[in-house]
Amino acid sequence: MNPKFLPLLLSGALLASCQSNPTKTETTTATSTDSTATAAADTMGVPAGSIPTVGEPKLLFKLPEKYNTPDGLALAPNGNVLLSIPNLANNSYPAAILEIVGDSAKPYITDLPAEPTTKKAAPMDLAFGPDGNLYYAENQYENSKKFVSRLMRVRMQNGKPGPIETAVDSFALANAVVWKGNKLYVTDSQWDMPDNDKGSAVMVFTLDELKRGRIHLKPKTKDPHVLTTFTTNVNETGVDNGADGLDYDSQGNFYTGSFGDGTFYKMTLKPDGTLAKQEALPLKGDKITCIDGLVIDRATDKAYITGARQNAIFVVNLKDNTVTTLAQNPDTDGAGGKLDQPAEVLLKGKRLYISDYDNPVKHFVNTKSDAPHTESYIDIK
């Protein structure tokens, strides 16, 4: 492959986390020690130099510094993939949304509306709705702790992005965005309550109410849009972000994972869409102690999970809750497509797109944000 980046590009950056003890692999790719990179000494009890190289992620393209934290991924109606760039690692550059065409990227939206109090835009996960419009979650939590994150709607006009407006306001840290039918599910990784400052939540909105006008959430309450809440057990990273990635299986069950402590949750819904049961799944095999983004292949009911903290991609077989490691690298700069703190994944056919967020906090295998800023991929066998 001859990776390339179209010349009209602008800028990006952000945050993510995960850790595990890889023992099995999802593919038959050999596991070997990477002689060109060594793990940091501070990797949550994993000795320096012991992080293995598993699998062979490949480079899709490189990004310039103005796009320094590639994050959310969404499949567009035309078959291309959209990529959000919140630029939280270096937000002196404006945030943007890019369009991936083949093995390159070009600007899609470069004039995202800033939140009035922070003066910044920060797009995270994104998805097209049944109304044909593009919705994206916004993480203003890195800029303000005052519940000013938003769900934004891009009015599509003849297949092109048009006016952008606020659909829902007063999130703390809006994160994942998933449509199922005429309902939109959004995670808030910092939905704290008066008696719980380690809270997070999954919210649900109907298309009809989103059409009626802007929705105002009620911070620090069991807002009517809250499907369920979670509590993060904070470890040595000090990160209390909770529910992060989100998707559903072939039976309509939803899954999310805690960014701060790696708990993997299953949510079973009643026929009316309300919560029937929430459970923390007892995973077997490779241990995951932090979960960032995830996507579920509903043909196989396998969940592909980014282990940002330990620089890995895990696969959870939802039929038996077993965990295998699809790919993992020691601390790298992302050269050649090696994992560099993967934050989000998208499955298009048999290709798994991987956003290398590259903006670590303490106790990560990845130790610093550095060039090249990259998008990787793995062809699933």
Side-chain angles (χ1 to χ4, degrees):
M1 167 171 291
N2 180 22
K4 56 185 178 296
F5 187 75
L6 297 186
L8 293 174
L9 279 172
L10 285 171
S11 111
L14 178 58
L15 162 75
S17 130
C18 260
Q19 147 66 20
S20 103
N21 299 317
T23 56
K24 297 184 287 184
T25 58
E26 175 67 13
T27 69
T28 57
T29 303
T31 302
S32 62
T33 301
D34 188 341
S35 61
T36 64
T38 57
D42 184 10
T43 53
M44 191 178 163
V46 180
S50 71
I51 303 298
T53 295
V54 179
E56 297 180 358
K58 294 180 172 58
L59 178 67
L60 189 62
F61 52 74
K62 297 178 183 179
L63 294 160
E65 180 62 27
K66 62 184 179 181
Y67 298 129
N68 49 78
T69 45
D71 191 64
L73 294 158
L75 185 63
N78 65 359
N80 292 334
V81 174
L82 299 187
L83 170 63
S84 70
I85 308 286
N87 277 338
L88 290 175
N90 181 358
N91 67 10
S92 64
Y93 297 100
I97 295 175
L98 309 180
E99 182 177 20
I100 299 175
V101 183
D103 62 353
S104 60
K106 63 181 182 179
Y108 188 74
I109 307 175
T110 56
D111 56 350
L112 298 170
E115 198 282 325
T117 62
T118 68
K119 312 299 183 185
K120 299 290 184 182
M124 300 285 280
D125 198 16
L126 62 174
F128 282 89
D131 57 356
N133 295 318
L134 175 65
Y135 292 78
Y136 66 86
E138 191 176 66
N139 173 12
Q140 293 290 346
Y141 194 78
E142 308 306 312
N143 302 314
S144 171
K145 304 298 188 286
K146 296 181 179 179
F147 287 81
V148 296
S149 294
R150 306 175 293 180
L151 175 74
M152 307 299 289
R153 174 170 48 222
V154 181
R155 296 280 185 182
M156 301 298 294
Q157 299 175 341
N158 299 317
K160 303 293 184 182
I164 304 174
E165 60 199 10
T166 302
V168 184
D169 61 32
S170 302
F171 287 94
L173 197 173
N175 207 328
V177 177
V178 175
W179 280 95
K180 186 176 186 296
N182 287 329
K183 290 184 177 180
L184 176 63
Y185 297 80
V186 181
T187 57
D188 189 313
S189 303
Q190 289 283 354
W191 192 257
D192 294 339
M193 300 289 280
D195 59 346
N196 182 7
D197 64 356
K198 304 295 184 290
S200 60
V202 173
M203 311 274 193
V204 59
F205 308 90
T206 67
L207 180 59
D208 284 344
E209 65 177 335
L210 288 167
K211 287 181 176 179
R212 289 196 292 268
R214 184 188 294 200
I215 297 170
H216 305 287
L217 298 176
K218 301 177 179 64
K220 295 193 176 181
T221 72
K222 191 70 181 291
D223 184 280
H225 297 93
V226 172
L227 175 68
T228 187
T229 59
F230 312 87
T231 299
T232 304
N233 294 312
V234 179
N235 55 34
E236 61 272 35
T237 64
V239 176
D240 67 350
N241 290 17
D244 197 310
L246 183 71
D247 206 354
Y248 61 93
D249 67 14
S250 63
Q251 303 303 307
N253 302 303
F254 275 82
Y255 299 79
T256 190
S258 173
F259 183 81
D261 64 31
T263 306
F264 190 51
Y265 294 98
K266 178 180 180 180
M267 292 155 281
T268 306
L269 306 185
K270 298 176 183 177
D272 65 0
T274 58
L275 185 71
K277 182 181 181 181
Q278 173 187 307
E279 54 187 318
L281 294 181
L283 300 180
K284 299 172 288 185
D286 295 355
K287 185 179 179 183
I288 307 175
T289 61
C290 138
I291 295 172
D292 199 338
L294 65 91
V295 65
I296 295 173
D297 181 356
R298 285 181 279 278
T300 62
D301 277 337
K302 289 183 178 180
Y304 294 84
I305 293 173
T306 56
R309 180 173 179 177
Q310 66 236 81
N311 223 31
I313 303 292
F314 298 103
V315 183
V316 177
N317 186 334
L318 301 176
K319 296 175 182 178
D320 59 11
N321 297 333
T322 55
V323 182
T324 52
T325 303
L326 177 65
Q328 187 173 23
N329 292 140
D331 189 8
T332 77
D333 62 5
K338 291 182 179 180
L339 300 179
D340 195 12
Q341 194 185 324
E344 295 294 340
V345 281
L346 174 72
L347 194 61
K348 178 185 175 185
K350 291 295 184 181
R351 172 160 292 185
L352 187 72
Y353 290 81
I354 305 165
S355 291
D356 294 301
Y357 189 62
D358 192 22
N359 184 27
V361 296
K362 63 182 180 180
H363 298 279
F364 273 37
V365 169
N366 183 32
T367 56
K368 63 181 178 179
S369 178
D370 50 11
H373 307 295
T374 58
E375 194 76 12
S376 304
Y377 73 94
I378 297 172
D379 288 326
I380 306 298
K381 297 178 181 179

